């Protein structure tokens, strides 16, 4: 029996009877695989996959012949699919169909996957009920009329805006290219001329449209890239080393740094940050008091705590502002980061600087903290780690800065020379006196016990609750301070990744090694390998290794080999 007849037949029956439609059905040109049927009308929507033969979709080969092209094309199709759902919703006053939809960034997602011979759209459908009874005719309309219409409009190349698709892929390839050549150009970041950095409001990710001052590059910092598409892009290069962003309050310092923080991801056309490109491993570092820390060597920053706690393997269930910021920084190094982004607004002052008067009042041996200003050069010289830092309130960083950028009414100005004149020194001169190295070349890797990441009292897979919380057994892993975790679908992927890592850890693998193995698997087999479910994997998007690391680090019952 076909799906339509089956649904008509169970019309009016108890909701649980929907279970009978599980399985694969031919619906017109595609197969509909109904993988998970909701148990009641209020449960999360049922999960299904639309499987179309490649021939029907007919994508131009040059768009999908490499991984980058497939990511960008899938992203385009997903956006188009979501738009077709909205259109359908407008004519039918609402739609029961949904797809995990992207925001301003282009990420590898599980929503639409382009395979060798077929294309799969992973959707969710709220199966209709009247009270607790099945509305079978309504369900048949949704699955055999509405879904095919959405598929027709959004997944067939002949009905797509071919130019828009080609541009989408080309932009993504250009952006990935710039990111890939930053290091060989001695750069950690790039901000294209004309970029719109401010957002419409504090809680949206879309650009400010009225009164936004487009970014303009100081002449001395101008660089340009010849792109694979043939175009050229020009803007401000942020060089390896120490870059300090200064300027009066409300002149756009944090906005620039936030854009760089997001610049680890490619942005869609029209976002304003298309040409803000940051090294892929750059990490935003902030204070995060209250977080849990397990066995992190924060001794380069903090030693001789009044409690006598060992700071080479520092653990706490309730970190202070300064210890949390130190732990965040050292963990970022452990995750392979080579560029740190730090804003005074979210930093612990005593972690960042200590002035002369305070040094006079409080003897050095009574102060456990060596401030970041004294460590930012060794970080660079010992470990090759660059820093971009916002410091509007203190000139203490002038001595250690390679570049100083002032923002004046949102306009960037190169004030490096003036800052060095004021300081009467520059890093070039202070480098002459070589200091003993305080950082190990390689950050010490932490090795969890084989059962070191096993959730307590756990029955169900780990799950994401929105962008910033993972429910892991009975523990909530709080990720709201992890600034570069941007999409709830990434959080969902990290939740599953934590379960996979818990399985993989054997008492020998370090956290970093286990994450590397897992991400290698994702690269060769797709995001689906993270999912505990067969068929529809859930709405997942690829996180960076740094954010997976961040989640593991914040798990309050992480247990290490000692
Ligand atoms: P700061 O960190 O220097 O105090 P912010 O970056 O927080 O300043 O910016 C202050 C305000 O100015 C914010 O509301 C921000 O959206 C806005 N803003 C930032 N950059 C621009 C710009 N280029 N054009 C217009 N408004 C901007
Ligand atoms: Mg600020």
């Amino acid at each position: 029996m076909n799906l339509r007849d089956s649904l008509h037949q169970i019309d009016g029956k108890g909701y649980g009877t929907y279970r009978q439609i599980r399985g694969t059905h031919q619906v017109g040109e595609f197969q509909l695989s109904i993988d998970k049927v909701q148990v009641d009308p209020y449960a999360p929507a049922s999960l299904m996959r639309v499987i179309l033969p490649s021939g029907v979709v007919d994508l131009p080969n040059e768009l999908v012949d490499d991984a980058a092209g497939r990511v960008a094309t899938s992203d385009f199709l997903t956006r188009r699919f979501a738009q077709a759902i909205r259109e359908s919703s407008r004519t039918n006053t609402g739609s029961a169909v949904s797809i995990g939809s992207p925001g301003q960034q282009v990420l590898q997602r599980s929503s639409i996957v382009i395979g060798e011979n077929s294309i799969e759209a992973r959707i969710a459908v709220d199966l209709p009920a009247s009270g607790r009874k099945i509305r079978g005719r309504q369900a048949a309309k949704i699955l055999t009329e509405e879904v095919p219409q959405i598929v027709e409009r959004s997944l067939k190349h002949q009905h797509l805006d071919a130019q828009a698709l080609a541009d989408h892929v080309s932009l993504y390839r250009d952006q990935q290219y710039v990111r890939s050549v930053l290091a060989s150009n001695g750069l950690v970041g790039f901000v294209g001329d004309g970029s719109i950095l401010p957002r419409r409001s504090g809680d949206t990710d879309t650009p400010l449209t009225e009164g936004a001052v487009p970014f303009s590059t100081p002449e001395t910092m101008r660089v340009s890239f010849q792109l694979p598409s043939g175009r050229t892009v020009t803007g401000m290069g942020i060089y390896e080393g120490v870059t300090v962003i200064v300027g009066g309050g409300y002149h756009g310092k944090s906005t620039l740094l936030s854009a760089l923080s997001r610049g680890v991801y490619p942005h869609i056309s029209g976002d304003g940050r298309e040409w803000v490109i940051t090294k892929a491993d750059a990490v935003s570092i902030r204070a995060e008091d209250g977080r849990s820390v397990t066995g992190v060597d924060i001794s380069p920053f903090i030693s001789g705590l009044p409690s006598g706690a060992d700071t080479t393997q520092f653990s706490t269930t309730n970190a202070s502002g300064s210890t949390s910021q130190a732990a965040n920084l050292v963990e970022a190094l452990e995750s392979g980061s080579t560029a740190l982004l730090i804003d005074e607004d979210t930093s612990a002052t005593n972690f960042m600087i200590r002035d002369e008067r305070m040094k006079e009042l409080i003897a050095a041996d009574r102060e456990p903290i060596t401030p970041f200003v004294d460590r930012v050069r060794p970080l660079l010289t010992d470990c090759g780690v660059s820093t971009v830092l916002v410091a509007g309130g203190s000139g203490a960083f002038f001595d250690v800065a390679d570049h100083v950028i002032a923002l004046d009414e949102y306009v960037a100005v190169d004030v490096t020379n003036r800052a060095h004149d004021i300081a009467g020194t520059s890093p070039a001169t202070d480098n002459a006196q070589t200091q003993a190295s305080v950082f190990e070349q390689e950050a010490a890797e932490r090795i969890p016990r084989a059962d070191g990441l096993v959730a307590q009292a756990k029955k169900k897979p780990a799950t994401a609750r929105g962008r910033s919380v993972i429910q892991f057994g009975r523990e909530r892993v709080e990720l709201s301070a992890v600034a570069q975790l941007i999409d709830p679908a990434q959080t969902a992927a990290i939740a599953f990744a934590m379960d996979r890592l818990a399985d993989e850890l054997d008492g020998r693998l370090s956290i970093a090694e286990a994450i590397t193995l897992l991400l290698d698997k994702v690269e060769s087999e797709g995001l689906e390998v993270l999912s505990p479910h067969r068929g529809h994997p859930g709405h997942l998007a690829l996180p960076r290794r740094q954010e997976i690391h961040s989640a593991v680090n914040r798990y309050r019952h992480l247990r290490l080999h000692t």
Side-chain angles (χ1 to χ4, degrees):
M1 202 183 328
N2 67 29
L3 181 61
R4 185 170 170 278
D5 293 344
S6 307
L7 285 165
H8 282 199
Q9 205 173 56
I10 58 174
D11 189 65
K13 297 207 168 143
Y15 200 84
T17 313
Y18 263 135
R19 227 173 324 155
Q20 290 179 6
I21 64 168
R22 270 186 49 182
T24 305
H25 311 269
Q26 190 70 38
V27 178
E29 287 172 301
F30 60 84
Q31 289 187 313
L32 184 67
S33 178
I34 301 176
D35 297 326
K36 186 164 193 283
V37 176
Q38 63 203 107
V39 290
D40 67 62
Y42 314 102
S46 303
L47 300 180
M48 313 184 183
R49 286 171 299 143
V50 170
I51 306 166
L52 273 160
S54 301
V56 174
V57 184
D58 201 23
L59 291 167
N61 201 43
E62 71 272 15
L63 298 183
V64 292
D65 60 3
D66 65 338
R70 285 191 292 276
V71 168
T73 302
S74 305
D75 178 85
F76 184 90
L77 295 177
T78 306
R79 289 171 197 277
R80 187 68 195 92
F81 198 101
Q83 189 190 334
I85 293 173
R86 283 193 296 276
E87 287 158 12
S88 167
S89 169
R90 237 170 277 134
T91 45
N92 302 324
T93 59
S95 175
V97 185
S98 61
I99 191 161
S101 46
Q104 295 297 101
Q105 295 80 19
V106 178
L107 303 175
Q108 183 182 337
R109 287 179 177 273
S110 62
S111 301
I112 290 185
V113 172
I114 301 170
E116 269 306 294
N117 307 308
S118 63
I119 288 184
E120 268 188 40
R122 283 79 177 267
I123 61 174
V125 179
D126 224 344
L127 292 170
S130 128
R132 291 200 161 269
K133 293 210 163 71
I134 287 176
R135 290 183 65 191
R137 286 168 191 282
Q138 177 68 15
K141 259 189 105 165
I142 294 168
L143 297 183
T144 66
E145 293 172 35
E146 187 185 356
V147 170
Q149 223 171 61
I150 292 168
V151 168
E152 179 76 23
R153 282 187 202 164
S154 62
L155 295 187
K156 287 200 184 170
H157 190 249
Q158 64 195 89
H159 296 158
L160 295 174
D161 181 340
Q163 191 57 51
L165 170 58
D167 291 347
H168 194 74
V169 174
S170 162
L171 174 61
Y172 182 81
R173 284 181 174 148
D174 281 347
Q175 291 165 331
Q176 297 296 66
Y177 168 78
V178 173
R179 193 171 292 101
S180 74
V181 298
L182 284 176
S184 56
N185 283 276
L187 298 171
V188 296
F190 174 76
V191 184
D193 274 320
S195 293
I196 301 297
L197 307 183
R199 300 294 94 188
R200 188 187 293 274
S201 68
D203 59 354
T204 62
D205 204 26
T206 50
L208 178 68
T209 42
E210 242 164 82
V213 177
F215 188 80
S216 60
T217 302
E219 223 29 72
T220 48
M221 306 184 89
R222 185 178 298 277
V223 294
S224 65
F225 293 96
Q226 180 85 44
L227 303 169
S229 64
R231 296 170 54 196
T232 301
V233 65
T234 304
M236 177 173 81
I238 297 181
Y239 285 88
E240 286 166 1
V242 178
T243 300
V244 178
I245 300 169
V246 302
Y250 226 62
H251 280 249
K253 303 182 297 295
S254 296
T255 303
L256 172 58
L257 196 78
S258 296
L260 286 168
S261 159
R262 292 303 179 88
V264 299
Y265 301 112
H267 288 86
I268 55 171
S269 170
D271 174 83
R273 298 169 296 185
E274 294 91 312
W275 298 113
V276 182
I277 313 271
T278 308
K279 255 185 143 176
D281 60 30
V283 174
S284 293
I285 303 295
R286 57 168 293 167
E288 187 185 350
D289 55 305
R291 66 157 283 195
S292 144
V293 176
T294 308
V296 177
D297 180 4
I298 58 169
S299 64
F301 298 99
I302 298 170
S303 59
L305 287 175
S307 64
D310 176 10
T311 57
T312 62
Q313 287 185 321
F314 181 71
S315 298
T316 175
T317 56
N318 189 4
S320 66
S322 56
T323 51
S324 62
Q325 194 160 5
N328 283 348
L329 195 157
V330 173
E331 288 166 350
L333 303 182
E334 188 184 347
S335 76
S337 176
T338 60
L340 307 175
L341 309 173
I342 304 180
D343 193 332
E344 60 184 354
D345 294 351
T346 48
S347 291
T349 305
N350 59 344
F351 175 78
M352 298 301 286
I353 51 175
R354 185 159 67 253
D355 68 12
E356 292 306 322
R357 282 188 172 176
M358 198 52 82
K359 282 180 189 161
E360 216 173 302
L361 186 64
I362 306 294
D365 65 350
R366 312 308 296 168
E367 174 52 87
I369 304 176
T370 304
F372 182 70
V373 67
D374 291 341
R375 292 296 188 234
V376 64
R377 296 303 308 175
L379 264 174
L380 181 66
T381 48
D382 296 358
C383 324
V385 172
S386 297
T387 300
V388 184
L389 171 99
V390 170
S394 168
F397 284 93
F398 291 177
D399 308 277
V400 293
D402 297 297
H403 298 279
V404 183
I405 302 165
L407 283 177
D408 182 17
E409 295 181 5
Y410 317 127
V411 177
V413 186
D414 182 354
V415 295
T416 308
N417 291 338
R418 250 186 79 55
H420 285 167
D421 285 348
I422 290 166
T425 170
S426 70
T429 57
D430 99 348
N431 264 355
Q433 1 160 333
T434 40
Q435 300 148 307
S437 88
V438 286
F439 290 95
E440 301 291 333
Q441 203 74 30
E442 302 275 321
E445 292 212 322
R446 288 173 304 149
I447 300 174
R449 292 179 0 188
D451 61 352
L453 188 61
V454 174
Q456 315 213 310
K458 186 157 142 48
K459 293 178 201 79
K460 289 186 277 184
T463 46
R465 306 221 180 289
R467 184 201 69 87
S468 56
V469 172
I470 289 174
Q471 190 71 41
F472 193 58
R474 74 164 97 89
E475 203 63 51
R476 275 165 57 98
V477 182
E478 178 59 58
L479 300 172
S480 47
V482 181
Q484 291 159 299
L485 178 61
I486 52 160
D487 191 307
Q490 286 182 310
T491 315
I494 294 174
F496 289 162
M498 287 179 75
D499 279 341
R500 299 288 84 73
L501 291 170
D503 295 342
E504 290 304 316
L505 290 172
D506 57 3
R508 287 190 294 271
L509 283 173
S510 69
I511 299 171
E513 286 165 345
I515 294 174
T516 299
L517 289 176
L518 190 62
L519 287 177
D520 284 351
K521 228 172 178 179
V522 170
E523 194 176 325
S524 57
E525 296 169 48
L527 276 168
E528 292 72 17
V529 298
L530 297 177
S531 177
H533 308 299
R534 285 153 66 93
H536 194 306
H539 299 312
L540 309 179
L542 185 66
R544 298 189 309 162
R545 64 176 307 115
Q546 280 74 21
E547 281 67 45
I548 303 176
H549 218 103
S550 296
V552 172
N553 289 331
R554 283 163 181 74
Y555 177 50
R556 289 180 176 273
H557 295 285
L558 179 63
R559 295 285 175 264
L560 303 181
H561 256 313
T562 44

